[in-house]
Amino acid sequence: MARIVVITSGKGGVGKTTTSAAVATGLALEGHKTAVVDFDVGLRNLDLIMGCERRVVYDFVNVINGDASLRQALIKDKRTEGLYILPASQTRDKEALTQEGVEQVLQELSKDFDYIICDSPAGIERGALMASYFADEAIVVTNPEVSSVRDSDRMLGILASKTRRAEQGEDPIPAHLLITRYAPERVDKGEMLSVEDVQEILSIQMLGVIPESQAVLNASNAGMPVVLDDESDAGQAYRDAVARFLGEDRPHRFLTAQKKGIFGRLFKG
Amino acid sequence: MKGIFDYFRSQKPSSAQVAKERLQVIVARERSSRSGPDYLPALHRELLEVIRKYVQVDDEAVQMNLENQGNCEILEVNITLGDRQ
């Protein structure tokens, strides 16, 4: 039985897809067979971030409608062993993701995989609700910025009431906070909410903090999950977050501003 | 004696501080209405309309807060009529 993890946020553009790609790749690197599923019907993008956009033949909705088998639609990642991608459909039919269809696909994936990462679309409509409905666990991606924090809180409310587990009266699913685009220098200047501020407002457990980093854009330009960039701060921060997700106790890094000396500037460029 | 920089610092909280305080207020309010009945926003609107038959007030004049105390649900309604002229 796979563990189903939804990557969600409410607000758009905060890094859900980047995080889905990084976490799924990170889990596969740790030896867990992982499928990452794009729930953003109409606006497929996970394929581009994973660098497999030219290999998409069938999609999630094709599988739900029985036009293709799951095996036909799943794309095997070329870089990372044990990692598979199920791309979103580009249909404009928002009703295409039926609850029964989603459940069936997740059940079938569950037989073969250790983890299923559900990349939620922004908003709180069907795609987002379907991405979280069957989840066992959630990672809430938040930027240290007012609208993102507010939307994350709203999403936490939905996770607490609108998942299958909540509807069946079981314990609500555990939610982890992942802060992305964090800029310690701006926090020091009083221009940005700190990790502590965000955690205090949302009061959920902190999974990790990903620093604002050029590496994220570089990775998406190249179609390579940033977690594979071992040299980069963001890549390392995602590796740490995945290790914590798997139960390892790792200290948080990249929380303070780097004071670069003249030599640091010269040699690091 | 306070320097001019201290003066400005004590006058003006950082933008992050302002953000945090605004978030704390709105998140607390939205959490309480989330767990509450669906009619709260409508009740809020109608209360405003009724009050406006008699007094002109801002949109912020009616603040509602739903609290659970044991078996009892308490709806606290605060109505600010504004400055006396």
Side-chain angles (χ1 to χ4, degrees):
Chain A
M1 271 300 276
R3 197 145 177 85
I4 303 176
V5 184
V6 61
I7 313 288
T8 186
S9 72
K11 190 173 181 300
V14 298
K16 280 182 298 296
T17 300
T18 298
T19 298
S20 298
V23 168
T25 306
L27 286 168
L29 287 173
E30 295 293 326
H32 301 283
K33 199 173 173 197
T34 303
V36 55
V37 183
D38 190 347
F39 275 78
D40 203 345
V41 172
L43 293 169
R44 174 199 294 163
N45 270 322
L46 178 68
D47 57 339
L48 212 50
I49 300 300
M50 295 293 299
C52 64
E53 69 278 7
R54 286 163 47 153
R55 297 166 61 207
V56 176
V57 181
Y58 294 109
D59 60 53
F60 195 0
V61 169
N62 290 143
V63 180
I64 288 177
N65 292 341
D67 303 331
S69 69
L70 191 54
R71 184 192 291 267
Q72 285 174 306
L74 276 174
I75 302 172
K76 187 179 190 307
D77 191 82
K78 281 190 169 162
R79 297 189 192 88
T80 313
E81 188 62 32
L83 179 60
Y84 292 78
I85 300 113
L86 183 57
S89 166
Q90 284 183 316
T91 173
R92 267 172 282 177
D93 177 14
K94 288 282 168 196
E95 306 299 301
L97 284 184
T98 60
Q99 184 164 312
E100 300 72 39
V102 172
E103 182 172 21
Q104 222 166 27
V105 171
L106 292 180
Q107 259 173 8
E108 208 180 326
L109 283 171
S110 269
K111 291 181 205 149
D112 289 328
F113 288 91
D114 302 322
Y115 285 96
I116 302 169
I117 305 298
C118 302
D119 181 17
S120 173
I124 49 174
E125 290 180 32
R126 186 177 204 100
L129 296 180
M130 281 302 106
S132 60
Y133 189 73
F134 297 100
D136 298 308
E137 223 161 322
I139 295 177
V140 177
V141 183
T142 306
N143 289 168
E145 176 273 324
V146 285
S147 50
S148 174
V149 176
R150 179 202 211 170
D151 287 359
S152 292
D153 190 70
R154 184 131 167 67
M155 192 42 86
L156 287 170
I158 289 170
L159 290 171
S161 60
K162 298 244 160 72
T163 63
R164 181 170 61 175
R165 276 177 48 172
E167 283 182 0
Q168 291 178 346
E170 294 171 39
D171 285 342
I173 66 171
H176 311 268
L177 177 62
L178 187 81
I179 297 182
T180 56
R181 309 202 68 166
Y182 193 64
E185 321 77 55
R186 307 199 68 186
V187 174
D188 288 352
K189 285 191 216 154
E191 295 173 355
M192 182 182 268
L193 290 164
S194 70
V195 167
E196 292 78 18
D197 291 342
V198 178
Q199 202 178 7
E200 189 186 325
I201 291 161
L202 295 178
S203 53
I204 55 170
Q205 190 216 330
M206 173 81 72
L207 183 66
V209 180
I210 313 299
E212 169 83 67
S213 169
Q214 181 59 44
V216 173
L217 185 57
N218 284 340
S220 81
N221 286 344
M224 179 190 86
V226 68
V227 73
L228 292 175
D229 184 355
D230 292 333
E231 305 281 298
S232 71
D233 47 0
Q236 292 173 25
Y238 271 118
R239 277 309 277 265
D240 286 354
V242 170
R244 276 184 219 111
F245 183 79
L246 292 170
E248 207 178 301
D249 189 18
R250 286 203 188 177
H252 290 274
R253 298 190 275 170
F254 317 110
L255 297 185
T256 49
Q258 301 277 328
K259 291 210 171 52
K260 268 194 204 162
I262 179 85
F263 289 107
R265 278 184 211 173
L266 279 176
F267 292 115
K268 234 177 156 212
Chain B
M1 205 184 88
K2 269 191 173 178
I4 190 153
F5 290 110
D6 291 328
Y7 177 77
F8 280 116
R9 195 166 294 163
S10 63
Q11 286 294 54
K12 237 185 165 181
S14 72
S15 72
Q17 193 57 40
V18 174
K20 185 182 180 186
E21 281 159 18
R22 289 176 57 219
L23 270 170
Q24 280 170 326
V25 172
I26 190 71
V27 162
R29 199 167 86 195
E30 287 176 348
R31 276 183 197 158
S32 76
S33 64
R34 192 188 295 157
S35 53
D38 287 344
Y39 61 72
L40 279 182
L43 175 61
H44 181 249
R45 275 193 299 273
E46 283 179 42
L47 275 174
L48 255 179
E49 279 168 31
V50 171
I51 293 161
R52 280 178 177 159
K53 282 188 185 169
Y54 304 93
V55 202
Q56 206 38 52
V57 291
D58 290 341
D59 289 342
E60 294 171 27
V62 177
Q63 295 288 337
M64 307 203 305
N65 188 29
L66 192 74
E67 259 182 66
N68 275 309
Q69 288 186 0
N71 290 332
C72 203
E73 248 187 348
I74 298 174
L75 178 64
E76 189 184 296
V77 180
N78 262 305
I79 303 169
T80 317
L81 295 181
D83 298 334
R84 221 175 294 163
Q85 284 161 5

